Amino acid sequence: MIDEGYIKFNSQLHQTPPPSEWVVEEVNTWRDRMYALDYIGAYEGDIGYGNISVKSDLLDNEFIVTGSGTGNIPILFADHFTRVSSYSIDDNSVVCEGRIDASSESMTHAAVYACAPEARAVIHIHSRRHWDALLNKIPTTSDSAAYGTPDMAREIKRLFEETNFPEIRVMAMAGHDEGILSYGTSLDDAGGRLLDVLEGRYP
Ligand SMILES: [Zn+2]
């Protein structure tokens, strides 16, 4: 079942200019690699999957994330990014600024940033092959937690508290078909670790 591409939280979008070019360029270096590997892309019916976010050192509760429904777009431009300026996991709500709603998985990204103050980047990909191989072998969220929900956000918190997720920094989502997520202190860190785990170089 494809459970992807629609926003499950209450999203409030303020129409503002998109994030600056350098952010776009930085994210696209990894986004292009993920897209080329089909880790970000689209299912039949043009339903996009996969998303990336980055957070600056200066802004505590803000991050910039690829927009909703952009997984199927080969090359992203500034208008495809949005800034999440505040969020509430308990209220299941996200406030964002840009030209496009935040990725449907923004709540999940927010939960990672909330649990790991050192995190500066989150990458969420889909891969049938790697998901099958890694499920329950690396930190794995409950199969009852669907993507983009407060349940998933709470599961992330549980992984931080009860598993070696803070060490391995890659996890699988049992309740989100093909879903895998990594984080790091930079995009290179998050992307490098993700590829290391997928390709069996770590742990
Ligand atoms: Zn997903």
Side-chain angles (χ1 to χ4, degrees):
M1 190 194 106
I2 297 173
D3 178 29
E4 192 68 39
Y6 63 98
I7 294 172
K8 295 179 176 176
F9 48 78
N10 170 16
S11 177
Q12 198 184 328
L13 173 66
H14 297 152
Q15 291 281 343
T16 62
S20 54
E21 276 308 322
W22 69 264
V23 178
V24 174
E25 269 174 45
E26 190 196 358
V27 173
N28 274 347
T29 56
W30 273 99
R31 208 264 180 192
D32 291 350
R33 290 173 79 168
M34 298 290 112
Y35 189 87
L37 291 163
D38 278 334
Y39 294 158
I40 291 177
Y43 292 119
E44 237 171 277
D46 221 23
I47 299 160
Y49 60 79
N51 34 70
I52 296 182
S53 70
V54 288
K55 181 173 169 253
S56 107
D57 286 337
L58 306 171
L59 307 166
D60 261 358
N61 290 312
E62 290 194 10
F63 59 93
I64 287 167
V65 64
T66 49
S68 170
T70 58
N72 56 342
I73 299 169
I75 295 169
L76 297 190
F77 299 101
D79 279 356
H80 296 122
F81 292 78
T82 195
R83 182 189 310 277
V84 172
S85 52
S86 69
Y87 56 88
S88 164
I89 290 167
D90 290 334
D91 294 343
N92 196 25
S93 65
V94 161
V95 177
C96 49
E97 293 166 30
R99 307 250 188 256
I100 188 167
D101 268 321
S103 160
S104 51
E105 216 117 31
S106 294
M107 194 66 85
T108 313
H109 292 240
V112 173
Y113 291 123
C115 293
E118 75 282 12
R120 291 290 176 272
V122 175
I123 300 178
H124 168 58
I125 61 148
H126 282 217
S127 164
R128 165 65 54 200
R129 179 167 62 98
H130 293 302
W131 189 78
D132 282 344
L134 293 172
L135 208 61
N136 296 315
K137 300 212 170 55
I138 59 172
T140 300
T141 53
S142 156
D143 59 5
S144 64
Y147 94 87
T149 60
D151 276 352
M152 179 65 83
R154 287 182 202 109
E155 271 294 286
I156 303 248
K157 188 160 181 275
R158 184 185 66 79
L159 294 190
F160 273 102
E161 288 167 354
E162 296 179 10
T163 73
N164 67 343
F165 184 40
E167 198 182 316
I168 184 169
R169 294 192 277 104
V170 180
M171 61 84 148
M173 301 155 132
H176 180 40
D177 214 19
E178 304 188 1
I180 297 169
L181 177 145
S182 76
Y183 76 91
T185 54
S186 66
L187 257 178
D188 284 346
D189 189 37
R193 176 58 62 85
L194 176 63
L195 293 180
D196 281 350
V197 170
L198 296 183
E199 292 162 15
R201 291 187 296 269
Y202 185 94

